[in-house]
Amino acid sequence: MERIVFLDRGGISVPLRTPCFPHQWQEYTDTRADEVVERLADATIAITDQVAITAEHLAELPNLRLIAVAATGVDHVDVDVCRHQGIAVTNVRNWSVSVPEHVFSLILALRRNLLAYHDVVQGGAWQRSEGYLVQVEPMPRSLSGAKLGIIGVGALGSAVAALGEAFGMEVLYAERKGAVEVRADRTPFEEVLAQSDVLVLLCPLTEESRGMIGEAELKSMPRHAILVNCGRGGLLDEAALAKALEEGVIAGAGLDVLTQEPPRDGSPLLDLKQPNLIVTPHVAWISDRSLATLAEQVIGNVEGFVLGHPRNLVV
């Protein structure tokens, strides 16, 4: 009989249906790193949303057959060790309709300068105004005719592109940084940075993509440009971005991810208190519809593996 352990069920706030094979089920709201081995000691299947399963953990888990990741990114699981030990890893794909919506929530709030205008009303400036409106700098910018650069052309990147085109934006798909050849539907990485009015990061975190946006890349962007990261926090240098925002190197940034989550040790970005920076606590993926789709995929991945027709395999 399979023994399934969900290490961090607390993040998936929708019902999960019961797998259609004999099993034992144990779930925890969350799990600390030093609790992983103990809780998975007898498990044949582990489900994890964001709890890391490292090489050190895996060395002490001989019964484990499958790690079902309740997310798309798998950078918190040592997939190389899983491959070596014959442990399958699955993830969920094409499930979050809410991430593209969140991307454009950030884009619109920044391009329309909504936080600054909200502060104007909350501070009473509109109520005291002699005219019918109060204008603040910078001037709101339209999306129609603007260039939207996308780094990470998967399902989410394509969905963001479709929304951008609906707003009348010109979409540029970035080629990989440092690529020797540029594919027919891509634009060189450096050109995308230089041309984009809005730059969106949606790629996974790998050794190649870690820190891909730093001081030099930010300086190559137009001064009126905004940067949105709903991919992974490690894709950019947070200190460099904080400095760029303070010095006006770029016009604004919207982030749903940070390098450390939760950011218990702080971040240079969290020290900034200005309306051209919006940080949300890794919630772009959350909505009623998205979570329901994710939950069904997680159980479906587990069932597929056990019943002999695995799907969404990473390794």
Side-chain angles (χ1 to χ4, degrees):
M1 180 180 293
E2 302 289 348
R3 184 164 189 272
I4 305 171
V5 177
F6 198 153
L7 293 173
D8 49 346
R9 174 74 169 87
I12 312 300
S13 55
V14 294
L16 285 169
R17 67 176 175 83
T18 301
C20 66
F21 54 84
H23 66 279
Q24 295 177 342
W25 179 280
Q26 178 68 56
E27 63 183 46
Y28 300 93
T29 301
D30 202 0
T31 297
R32 300 192 311 268
D34 61 359
E35 296 174 323
V36 170
V37 170
E38 178 185 355
R39 291 182 173 181
L40 295 181
D42 299 320
T44 57
I45 297 172
I47 303 176
T48 176
D49 177 13
Q50 295 297 322
V51 173
I53 301 179
T54 66
E56 291 74 18
H57 296 143
L58 293 167
E60 300 185 55
L61 300 171
N63 298 319
L64 200 59
R65 301 174 58 225
L66 169 68
I67 299 173
V69 178
T72 301
V74 296
D75 48 284
H76 54 304
V77 175
D78 196 321
V79 294
D80 290 333
V81 172
C82 288
R83 184 180 293 110
H84 179 72
Q85 293 185 195
I87 300 170
V89 178
T90 61
N91 67 348
V92 292
R93 306 175 187 183
N94 305 337
W95 59 276
S96 183
V97 297
S98 62
V99 170
E101 294 171 358
H102 197 87
V103 167
F104 266 88
S105 295
L106 295 172
I107 291 172
L108 288 165
L110 290 164
R111 291 280 287 188
R112 298 295 305 170
N113 208 7
L114 292 188
L115 291 189
Y117 281 111
H118 177 74
D119 290 344
V120 162
V121 175
Q122 293 297 304
W126 192 25
Q127 296 89 316
R128 297 188 298 271
S129 173
E130 295 181 0
Y132 71 93
L133 57 77
V134 175
Q135 294 191 58
V136 298
E137 295 294 330
M139 173 79 70
R141 289 178 175 269
S142 296
L143 294 184
S144 179
K147 291 184 177 181
L148 171 63
I150 299 175
I151 301 178
V153 189
L156 294 178
S158 297
V160 167
L163 289 176
E165 289 172 345
F167 276 103
M169 303 181 78
E170 177 184 348
V171 176
L172 302 175
Y173 292 121
E175 184 54 89
R176 291 187 179 91
K177 186 177 183 179
V180 176
E181 296 184 1
V182 178
R183 286 166 283 183
D185 60 340
R186 307 295 172 90
T187 300
F189 182 87
E190 294 76 11
E191 290 185 22
V192 171
L193 265 60
Q195 295 182 33
S196 295
D197 302 296
V198 178
L199 182 67
V200 178
L201 309 183
L202 288 167
C203 55
L205 181 63
T206 65
E207 288 307 310
E208 291 182 350
S209 64
R210 189 181 301 276
M212 67 160 57
I213 303 296
E215 182 177 3
E217 289 74 21
L218 292 165
K219 287 183 176 179
S220 73
M221 295 172 62
R223 294 184 71 87
H224 67 267
I226 63 170
L227 171 66
V228 173
N229 184 12
C230 286
R232 284 290 185 266
L235 297 174
L236 56 82
D237 182 331
E238 292 176 10
L241 178 57
K243 181 180 179 183
L245 292 171
E246 286 184 305
E247 296 178 355
V249 173
I250 63 172
L255 312 172
D256 187 55
V257 287
L258 293 175
T259 302
Q260 182 191 54
E261 296 178 354
R264 302 191 194 282
D265 299 325
S267 165
L269 293 166
L270 298 181
D271 295 332
L272 294 183
K273 308 298 180 186
Q274 49 196 68
N276 66 339
L277 171 65
I278 303 173
V279 180
T280 53
H282 205 144
V283 294
W285 58 283
I286 294 177
S287 74
D288 51 355
R289 182 177 172 188
S290 292
L291 283 175
T293 303
L294 178 146
E296 178 57 32
Q297 274 204 43
V298 169
I299 299 302
N301 289 346
V302 171
E303 290 177 335
F305 175 80
V306 172
L307 299 178
H309 44 85
R311 65 183 202 180
N312 292 339
L313 284 173
V314 178
V315 296

